[in-house]
């Protein structure tokens, strides 16, 4: 269905052009990563994990490999497997390019800050929050930056009340 919409010739309206652009992006995505994302968004974390664990990482280009690590980290986090989540979030951060336009690395920094803060490791939490704030141009920047700043203020409050 998505491919049929993409092939239609009617694209006179700006909304049609925008829809075709979004569909083109969807068609270029790795279908298994997209499926795991949709399962995750629907709360089917175990099913999303099953899809991810079947993916052959050796065949993924670097951008999809980073997304893979991000998606599996989020699933592990939701399943409260924080050590596995942490190691995968770290892979996202260390393998990402600082100039990347995706939110995966800054959001991973946010999650690492939250995880380390929950373990009372304020130094590491601060380190990753600061790192997350250093990213400049990426999707959902305003939302992620607000969350990073919130966690930074929580860390600051804990430092003051010490």
């Amino acid at each position: 269905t998505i491919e049929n919409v993409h092939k239609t010739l009617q694209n006179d309206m700006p909304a049609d052009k925008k829809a075709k652009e979004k569909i083109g992006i969807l068609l270029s995505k790795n279908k298994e990563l997209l499926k795991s994302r949709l399962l995750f968004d629907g709360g089917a974390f175990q099913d999303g994990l099953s899809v991810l664990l079947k993916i052959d990482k050796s065949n993924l280009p670097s951008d999809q490999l980073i997304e893979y690590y991000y998606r599996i980290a989020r699933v592990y986090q939701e399943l409260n497997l924080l050590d596995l989540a942490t190691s995968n979030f770290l892979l996202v951060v260390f393998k990402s390019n600082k100039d990347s336009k995706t939110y995966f690395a800054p959001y991973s920094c946010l999650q690492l800050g939250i995880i380390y803060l929950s373990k009372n490791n304020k130094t590491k939490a601060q380190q990753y929050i600061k790192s997350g704030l250093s990213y400049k141009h990426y999707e959902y920047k305003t939302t992620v930056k607000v969350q990073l700043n919130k966690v930074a203020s929580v860390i600051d409050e804990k430092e003051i009340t010490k």
Side-chain angles (χ1 to χ4, degrees), residues 30-150:
N30 177 298
K31 290 177 186 24
E32 296 305 304
L33 288 173
L34 181 59
K35 183 177 181 180
S36 72
R37 173 182 156 199
L38 295 172
L39 287 165
F40 179 88
D41 290 349
F45 308 123
Q46 200 63 53
D47 292 338
L49 180 60
S50 295
V51 169
L52 288 166
L53 291 174
K54 290 176 187 170
I55 294 174
D56 180 6
K57 296 182 297 197
S58 65
N59 291 329
L60 295 177
S62 65
D63 61 327
Q64 290 179 8
L65 186 61
I66 290 167
E67 182 178 356
Y68 169 84
Y69 289 128
Y70 172 79
R71 300 250 170 253
I72 203 161
R74 291 290 288 136
V75 171
Y76 283 142
Q77 187 180 28
E78 285 298 322
L79 295 173
N80 207 28
L81 300 169
L82 296 183
D83 289 340
L84 290 169
T86 299
S87 62
N88 282 283
F89 281 133
L90 288 169
L91 284 167
V92 172
V93 172
F94 294 133
K95 289 186 175 283
S96 291
N97 181 335
K98 270 292 198 198
D99 298 325
S100 175
K101 303 287 186 230
T102 70
Y103 64 95
F104 301 132
Y107 197 81
S108 292
C109 288
L110 170 66
Q111 296 309 315
L112 286 165
I114 291 168
I115 290 168
Y116 283 119
L117 188 59
S118 74
K119 294 179 177 184
N120 286 320
N121 189 337
K122 291 181 215 113
T123 304
K124 281 203 178 227
Q126 249 174 343
Q127 174 189 344
Y128 285 105
I129 296 302
K130 185 177 177 183
S131 179
L133 287 167
S134 72
Y135 289 87
K136 299 296 178 207
H137 305 288
Y138 56 91
E139 313 163 293
Y140 315 118
K141 180 180 177 185
T142 304
T143 305
V144 174
K145 203 165 192 171
V146 165
Q147 292 177 35
L148 285 161
N149 283 318
K150 267 187 198 175

